[in-house]
Amino acid sequence: MLRTRIIPILLLNDGGLVKTVKFSKDRYIGDPINAVRIFNKKEVDELVLLDIGASRNGTPPNFIEIKEIVSEAFMPVGYGGGISKMGHIEQLFNIGVEKVILNSVIFENKELIEEAIKIYGSQSIVASIDVKKDIWGSYKIYSNSGKKKQNISLDSCIRLIQEIGFGELVINNIDKDGTMQGYDLDLIGKVTAMLDIPVVSVGGAGTITDFIKAIKAGVSAVAAGSMFVFQGVHRAVLISYITADQLEQELKE
């Protein structure tokens, strides 16, 4: 049986490490390289970097910064943010990124993604979808770090992900981001029922119990930001991690 992957997600903005709540209220929490060095000591299996500044502003990835961070990491690193050209994807792989994570380009240039999958393989190209409920309780799709609402239903978006040929999907509920009140299990159940590729849940994890609920709802991997960088009711910055072995033990109990 494959172990469940547990993935810390680090948000970058203007060279710093930040954390958001519901995709806003950016809080600076430190230097990304220092965070990666701590995760090295904790033997994290996998790490994701998302440059929300590049996503919001439509600027290219900061390749110098990404290279510095990746060169410090002992674990595979996925990157997303500001990717709009094949040259961006090529350069990211050249500097050591293991997976590229695509969001807004899904709705703007699916041919680019299909070409990238032909060159690098579907296992290296990951879709990222941000979702938010409207006042009637319907899921709406957003891109550019939540700035732009896309005119596509959740069901159609999931079918598009499948059609393009992505190797994995990261699904995030904007309303859950940074709240540490648990994942959107209804969303997870709906999405995993429609897809036959691995799905990673993010947005809302606060305890190991949230991981277990998401796994039982159908995800292949769990990811979190706040849970791994904050401690206590006052959210003091203190980086932590739980291992897959710890999670497997909890799943048995």
Side-chain angles (χ1 to χ4, degrees), residues 26-54:
D26 296 19
R27 175 182 170 186
Y28 177 79
I29 57 174
D31 180 85
I33 291 180
N34 287 340
V36 168
R37 287 171 177 163
I38 295 171
F39 281 127
N40 284 341
K41 293 177 181 177
K42 296 185 179 297
E43 300 182 342
V44 168
D45 294 327
E46 188 176 341
L47 189 68
V48 163
L49 305 173
L50 297 179
D51 189 335
I52 60 173

Side-chain angles (χ1 to χ4, degrees), residues 107 129-131 140-142 148-150 152-154 157:
F107 312 103
I129 299 298
D130 300 320
V131 175
K140 300 299 179 185
I141 307 297
Y142 286 78
K148 184 175 182 180
K149 185 164 75 173
Q150 295 291 337
I152 185 172
S153 69
L154 175 62
C157 184

Side-chain angles (χ1 to χ4, degrees), residues 100 114 122:
V100 296
E114 290 168 342
S122 61

Side-chain angles (χ1 to χ4, degrees), residues 177-239:
D177 171 61
T179 64
M180 300 177 73
Q181 295 176 345
Y183 295 112
D184 183 340
L185 300 178
D186 290 339
L187 176 65
I188 290 171
K190 184 176 180 62
V191 170
T192 55
M194 292 182 66
L195 280 174
D196 55 13
I197 60 173
V199 175
V200 182
S201 60
V202 63
T207 67
I208 195 168
T209 301
D210 294 327
F211 287 165
I212 292 170
K213 289 179 179 177
I215 293 163
K216 291 181 177 177
V219 298
S220 303
V222 288
S226 297
M227 180 175 165
F228 292 135
V229 299
F230 294 138
Q231 293 291 321
V233 293
H234 299 297
R235 296 197 170 204
V237 177
L238 180 64
I239 290 179

Side-chain angles (χ1 to χ4, degrees), residues 124 154 174 221:
S124 302
L154 175 62
I174 295 172

Side-chain angles (χ1 to χ4, degrees), residues 26-224:
D26 296 19
R27 175 182 170 186
Y28 177 79
I29 57 174
D31 180 85
I33 291 180
N34 287 340
V36 168
R37 287 171 177 163
I38 295 171
F39 281 127
N40 284 341
K41 293 177 181 177
K42 296 185 179 297
E43 300 182 342
V44 168
D45 294 327
E46 188 176 341
L47 189 68
V48 163
L49 305 173
L50 297 179
D51 189 335
I52 60 173
S55 296
R56 289 170 178 167
N57 302 320
T59 54
N62 184 334
F63 296 105
I64 295 174
E65 178 189 29
I66 299 165
K67 184 176 182 180
E68 289 175 350
I69 297 171
V70 171
S71 67
E72 290 287 339
F74 295 169
M75 72 292 285
V77 175
Y79 171 84
I83 303 168
S84 62
K85 300 177 181 177
M86 186 61 76
H88 294 164
I89 295 173
E90 179 180 7
Q91 196 164 348
L92 287 166
F93 284 127
N94 286 343
I95 62 179
V97 168
E98 291 274 337
K99 296 180 179 180
V100 296
I101 301 168
L102 303 174
N103 174 253
S104 58
V105 73
I106 295 170
F107 312 103
E108 297 165 355
N109 191 353
K110 75 170 190 174
E111 291 78 15
L112 167 67
I113 305 169
E114 290 168 342
E115 183 65 19
I117 290 172
K118 284 181 185 175
I119 297 172
Y120 300 103
S122 61
Q123 77 286 347
S124 302
I125 310 295
V126 178
S128 175
I129 299 298
D130 300 320
V131 175
K132 181 179 173 69
K133 281 185 175 179
D134 64 15
I135 58 174
W136 293 280
S138 298
Y139 289 114
K140 300 299 179 185
I141 307 297
Y142 286 78
S143 64
N144 303 83
S145 285
K147 285 182 61 179
K148 184 175 182 180
K149 185 164 75 173
Q150 295 291 337
N151 186 26
I152 185 172
S153 69
L154 175 62
D155 287 7
S156 295
C157 184
I158 298 304
R159 285 193 289 270
L160 177 62
I161 299 297
Q162 190 91 30
E163 173 190 317
I164 291 174
F166 281 101
E168 188 167 88
L169 169 66
V170 179
I171 186 79
N172 192 0
N173 183 328
I174 295 172
D175 286 327
K176 292 283 188 175
D177 171 61
T179 64
M180 300 177 73
Q181 295 176 345
Y183 295 112
D184 183 340
L185 300 178
D186 290 339
L187 176 65
I188 290 171
K190 184 176 180 62
V191 170
T192 55
M194 292 182 66
L195 280 174
D196 55 13
I197 60 173
V199 175
V200 182
S201 60
V202 63
T207 67
I208 195 168
T209 301
D210 294 327
F211 287 165
I212 292 170
K213 289 179 179 177
I215 293 163
K216 291 181 177 177
V219 298
S220 303
V222 288

